[in-house]
Amino acid sequence: MVVSLRKVFSLLSFAILFILLTLLVSGGYRWLLEKVSFTDRYEAPQGQALKVFQGEATVTERLRWFYLYGE
C-alpha cells in the first residue's frame, strides 16, 4: 500500500482549517448573542415602566387569563 504524503498533508491541513474555522464561527456567534440579547428579562424595570406580573395569582386565575387573553 502506497501512502502519499502530499495527500495526507492535504487532508490534515483541511481538517485543521475546518476545525479552526468552526471554532471561530461558533465563538463569533456566541459573542454576537451576548451583544444583542437582553441582560436580564426578570429584573425590576427602570424609569416609568411597570412590572405587570402578579405573583399572588392562583392557578385558576392564571388559567382564566390564559384562555381569555392568551397570556
Side-chain angles (χ1 to χ4, degrees):
M1 180 175 167
V2 177
V3 177
S4 172
L5 290 177
R6 185 176 293 168
K7 286 185 180 181
V8 170
F9 179 72
S10 174
L11 182 64
L12 188 62
S13 64
F14 173 77
I16 290 172
L17 185 64
F18 181 78
I19 290 170
L20 287 175
L21 288 176
T22 301
L23 291 174
L24 180 72
V25 168
S26 65
Y29 183 69
R30 262 188 252 130
W31 175 79
L32 184 64
L33 281 179
E34 285 180 10
K35 293 296 179 188
V36 172
S37 66
F38 297 110
T39 54
D40 186 14
R41 294 175 46 182
Y42 301 108
E43 70 179 307
Q46 300 172 1
Q48 298 289 339
L50 297 175
K51 192 166 188 170
V52 294
F53 178 75
Q54 297 175 353
E56 299 87 25
T58 64
V59 175
T60 55
E61 288 176 346
R62 296 285 306 258
L63 281 173
R64 186 173 56 108
W65 290 338
F66 176 76
Y67 288 123
L68 291 177
Y69 305 113
E71 295 179 1

